[in-house]
Amino acid sequence: MKFINNGNSFLLSAPASIFAAEIKNELKRHTMFNGEKKQIIQSKRLADALFILWAGGAALLSYSLVYALRKPFTAAGFDGLDFFGMDYKTATSIVQISGYFISKLIGIKVISELKKENRLKFIILSVAVAELSLVLFGALPRPLNVFALFFNGLSLGCMWGVIFSFKEGRRVTDMLASLLGISMVISSGAAKSLGLFVMDHWQVSEFWMPALIGGCALPCLALLGYVLQSLPKPSEEDRALKAERMTLDGRQRWALFKNYMPFLSIILVANFLLVALRDIKEDFLVKIFDVAGSGYSSWIFAQLDSIVTLIILIIFGLMVFVRNNMRVLLILLSLVILGMLTMSFISLRYEALQLSPVVWLFIQSLCLYLAYLCFQTIFFDRFIACFRIRGNVGFFIVLIDFIGYLGTVIVLAIKEFLNPDINWLSFYNQLAGYVGLGCSVLFVGAWVYLYRRTKRRASEKVMPLETAHAY
């Protein structure tokens, strides 16, 4: 008698013992196959985890060191000084941000077209110029030394886009971007705390403190740039899931913007407000939150930012388990809308709520950075993957940053010339309240646009950018 097992192709003879032996061998083969499959999956997960730790850690440390070259001077109060009749502290921020703003404008072209083999050269040149500008800030006579900060901002404005370009277009980009985003949150507070520590305990002047910290960061950043340059390119599986990333020339950038003009216009206006608010919070936090007068440690900023960072890391990291790109975009926009409404509420109701300074600062930081980092990290990577866009995340990031830092310069200029002597806490709360309301309305509009577009996405074709080159 013969027995056939639905295509598994084994024949059994009549005796029961032979029948049982064949069954046992077949089960053994299935068990071995399942075991090998399980082992392959486990090995792949281990490889992914190690890559996330290596690549994500290198990116995190890299941009943290960029902050060490860019932000320590914000810890200084520069009390009693003026810049040709303007508040000296405000002048340092406006001058540096002006350089940063122009760098973003240049970066729309440079980052969109920058090839992988030129990224390390770009990083080394940028950090060298940034450190030289900090040395000039300490060496030049005051108030002319303020102009040196223009070149500091000019040299560092494209660093985020360059570092992120090593991470985009991968299956694990959500986790890598979350780790990179940590640097932006935690490094701001850490740079201020480190600056205060160097001035208070090492007795370094507020003019030479930035150069000292930057000088320690420069060689480490160059080494990490080499590590990033050595990372492997996205695999075939990465490109299938997240779309291959391409450089974009001027014609292609304009075609991409026109194709998504309503949505991108909304996001640009919202980030105009968000970046301005974030930069004012970072640069003037020592005036908004009086550390010495409140009795808190100089490391309070770093401690709060660490908690905020952990929460955002968990939220963004969980997105790696959601494979549907459109669903991730809608979830992120929903979280951002909730955060903006919360920020607006605690800002406009500050006197009535009577929150402690630490609780107020924690909620402000969480809501603001959740929205800001959403668009600086995973949002546009998923946006490109969702619509199979031939382009790169760097183009979107430098575009929204250019618009955002324009907003910062405008707000600081208006504040200085209309009301130079203000209560910074009151000013920030009013600004945060109205920014929160405005951004909530804008992000609701963006959510509706994406939801409606996804309904007709199936009939859309991939954007024709035939001459795009591999990223």
Side-chain angles (χ1 to χ4, degrees):
M1 183 184 296
K2 296 182 180 180
F3 297 84
I4 301 176
N5 185 27
N6 295 329
N8 285 329
S9 301
F10 61 90
L11 301 177
L12 302 178
S13 59
S17 59
I18 298 177
F19 177 80
E22 291 291 344
I23 291 291
K24 185 176 180 180
N25 289 336
E26 186 68 14
L27 290 174
K28 185 177 180 180
R29 283 194 292 271
H30 278 287
T31 302
M32 290 177 62
F33 174 77
N34 290 333
E36 291 174 357
K37 183 178 179 181
K38 184 177 180 181
Q39 187 175 12
I40 292 172
I41 293 174
Q42 290 176 342
S43 298
K44 185 178 180 180
R45 288 175 178 172
L46 177 61
D48 285 346
L50 292 175
F51 182 78
I52 289 171
L53 290 176
W54 178 251
L60 188 158
L61 291 174
S62 296
Y63 204 70
S64 297
L65 292 170
V66 171
Y67 263 77
L69 282 158
R70 180 185 163 214
K71 285 294 185 181
F73 83 92
T74 61
F78 302 115
D79 297 324
L81 298 175
D82 70 275
F83 178 77
F84 301 109
M86 181 188 296
D87 177 70
Y88 191 92
K89 171 78 173 182
T90 303
T92 58
S93 293
I94 290 178
V95 170
Q96 192 204 44
I97 291 173
S98 296
Y100 211 67
F101 161 73
I102 293 175
S103 180
K104 297 295 183 183
L105 176 60
I106 298 171
I108 293 175
K109 172 179 173 63
V110 173
I111 300 302
S112 300
E113 300 178 4
L114 187 66
K115 295 184 179 297
K116 182 180 179 180
E117 56 267 24
N118 296 324
R119 293 172 191 166
L120 180 59
K121 298 175 186 176
F122 187 94
I123 290 173
I124 293 175
L125 177 61
S126 296
V127 299
V129 173
E131 174 60 15
L132 177 60
S133 69
L134 294 180
V135 172
L136 292 175
F137 179 70
L140 291 175
R142 292 176 289 276
L144 296 177
N145 64 333
V146 172
F147 290 111
L149 293 178
F150 173 86
F151 298 98
N152 179 270
L154 185 68
S155 60
L156 297 176
C158 294
M159 288 295 289
W160 176 265
V162 175
I163 294 173
F164 194 90
S165 63
F166 291 107
K167 312 298 175 189
E168 67 170 301
R170 304 178 188 268
R171 290 179 296 106
V172 294
T173 292
D174 290 348
M175 286 300 301
L176 295 174
S178 299
L179 288 171
L180 181 56
I182 288 177
S183 64
M184 191 174 288
V185 180
I186 199 171
S187 300
S188 175
K192 293 179 185 65
S193 296
L194 183 59
L196 291 171
F197 179 84
V198 169
M199 289 188 294
D200 295 341
H201 295 274
W202 293 359
Q203 304 303 311
V204 178
S205 77
E206 54 193 357
F207 298 101
W208 279 105
M209 171 269 294
L212 174 62
I213 296 175
C216 296
L218 190 152
C220 300
L221 186 50
L223 177 61
L224 287 167
Y226 175 77
V227 172
L228 292 171
Q229 183 75 19
S230 303
L231 293 176
K233 294 182 178 180
S235 65
E236 289 294 333
E237 185 180 359
D238 291 331
R239 289 192 286 270
L241 183 64
K242 288 291 190 74
E244 185 174 4
R245 303 309 157 93
M246 304 285 186
T247 58
L248 295 169
D249 61 25
R251 180 186 63 81
Q252 294 160 346
R253 289 193 296 271
W254 177 238
L256 174 55
F257 183 79
K258 284 196 301 182
N259 197 30
Y260 298 95
M261 185 178 293
F263 175 78
L264 292 177
S265 297
I266 292 173
I267 298 300
L268 287 175
V269 174
N271 275 271
F272 175 90
L273 303 173
L274 277 178
V275 176
L277 181 65
R278 168 190 167 269
D279 237 53
I280 289 171
K281 174 181 175 293
E282 287 193 353
D283 288 0
F284 296 93
L285 188 56
V286 293
K287 290 181 176 289
I288 297 170
F289 187 96
D290 185 6
V291 175
S294 303
Y296 292 102
S297 164
S298 61
W299 292 98
I300 185 65
F301 301 134
Q303 292 167 358
L304 284 175
D305 285 348
S306 298
I307 300 172
V308 168
T309 296
L310 179 61
I311 295 172
I312 294 176
L313 172 63
I314 293 172
I315 293 173
F316 288 174
L318 289 174
M319 295 300 109
V320 75
F321 299 107
V322 185
R323 296 179 68 87
N324 186 299
N325 294 307
M326 178 57 69
R327 187 172 299 165
V328 170
L329 294 177
L330 296 178
I331 291 173
L332 290 174
L333 282 175
S334 299
L335 290 173
V336 167
I337 292 167
L338 179 62
M340 289 294 96
L341 290 173
T342 302
M343 183 180 75
S344 180
F345 178 75
I346 68 165
S347 298
L348 297 178
R349 299 281 296 169
Y350 176 76
E351 297 292 340
L353 293 173
Q354 293 293 302
L355 297 174
S356 72
V358 172
V359 173
W360 172 84
L361 183 57
F362 168 75
I363 298 175
Q364 284 282 346
S365 298
L366 179 60
C367 295
L368 179 57
Y369 281 113
L370 179 64
Y372 178 75
L373 287 179
C374 171
F375 298 101
Q376 291 286 328
T377 55
I378 65 176
F379 188 89
F380 284 112
D381 187 71
R382 291 287 193 152
F383 182 73
I384 289 174
C386 179
F387 294 103
R388 311 302 294 179
I389 295 171
R390 292 182 175 181
N392 56 76
V393 173
F395 165 69
F396 292 107
I397 289 178
V398 294
L399 182 62
I400 63 174
D401 273 355
F402 165 67
I403 299 297
Y405 283 103
L406 173 62
T408 302
V409 173
I410 292 174
V411 170
L412 288 177
I414 291 175
K415 167 262 163 193
E416 183 61 26
F417 291 110
L418 294 185
N419 190 9
D421 300 315
I422 63 172
N423 181 311
W424 276 99
L425 177 60
S426 176
F427 171 74
Y428 179 83
N429 271 323
Q430 285 186 327
L431 185 62
Y434 293 124
V435 166
L437 290 175
C439 286
S440 297
V441 174
L442 290 168
F443 289 136
V444 167
W447 195 100
V448 172
Y449 174 89
L450 284 182
Y451 181 78
R452 294 182 62 181
R453 180 144 188 170
T454 193
K455 294 297 184 181
R456 51 188 172 88
R457 183 179 54 169
S459 61
E460 289 186 346
K461 297 180 180 179
V462 176
M463 188 180 63
L465 294 175
E466 297 83 356
T467 59
H469 303 286
Y471 194 44

